[in-house]
Amino acid sequence: MVRAWMAAWEMECCGTPFRVGDTVTWPLLDLDTEGLAFVQERLGEDAGAPITHSAIFHGKRVVDVPKASGVVTGIHALYSRFERTSAREIRPVPLSGRLVWLHDSDAHDDITADDDEGFTAYVVDLDVQEQKRNEQAHR
């Protein structure tokens, strides 16, 4: 099982909609200490700790990132409150993250968010072993 972080802008720019039960193939980067700290700042240590990977579709390093296929077994939309830190910058308020379970990646638009809350990311569960079993069964 892999739990992956997919930033909202990654999906909005180049992502393909997905739903629970779909098989997806994504470039998955192992979450390093810095990446885990980023996630835990938004969700806290307990909710953020199970996130092991980040789905990335942009940048020079995406060429070197191995793709993994898996069956989507869970989708959560992360909503965070934001604060203005300067005239040009806003940032998520630490520990303000709220996870909402979804059936598909387009459903986040249907959720009512507070005025100071915005869609931040998906947290997606992938069963990579299930994908391997499905491929073997079809041979």
Side-chain angles (χ1 to χ4, degrees):
M1 186 67 68
V2 168
R3 179 164 278 180
W5 171 277
M6 181 187 292
W9 69 268
E10 290 271 10
M11 180 64 182
E12 290 166 357
C13 174
C14 300
T16 301
F18 56 93
R19 27 183 335 107
V20 171
D22 284 354
T23 298
V24 297
T25 301
W26 293 336
L28 291 179
L29 184 66
D30 289 339
L31 213 55
D32 60 11
T33 304
E34 183 180 328
L36 184 58
F38 176 86
V39 169
Q40 288 179 345
E41 179 184 13
R42 283 138 185 84
L43 287 172
E45 288 184 27
D46 291 340
I51 299 171
T52 58
H53 293 78
S54 181
I56 62 168
F57 303 102
H58 297 87
K60 293 178 183 176
R61 63 185 179 165
V62 76
V63 174
D64 300 327
V65 176
K67 290 187 177 183
S69 294
V71 175
V72 177
T73 59
I75 305 169
H76 289 85
L78 172 64
Y79 291 86
S80 300
R81 288 193 336 267
F82 289 84
E83 64 185 354
R84 183 164 299 283
T85 57
S86 69
R88 297 176 143 188
E89 182 181 14
I90 61 169
R91 67 180 295 276
V93 174
L95 303 178
S96 69
R98 176 173 66 98
L99 290 171
V100 178
W101 192 86
L102 304 173
H103 290 283
D104 66 75
S105 62
D106 286 338
H108 74 85
D109 292 333
D110 299 334
I111 297 170
T112 303
D114 294 335
D115 289 341
D116 63 344
E117 188 179 60
F119 174 59
T120 306
Y122 289 109
V123 176
V124 183
D125 294 326
L126 299 173
D127 186 343
V128 292
Q129 295 303 316
E130 180 66 24
Q131 171 62 20
K132 290 177 183 176
R133 285 191 295 273
N134 288 342
E135 288 173 358
Q136 290 172 350
H138 285 83
R139 288 184 187 166

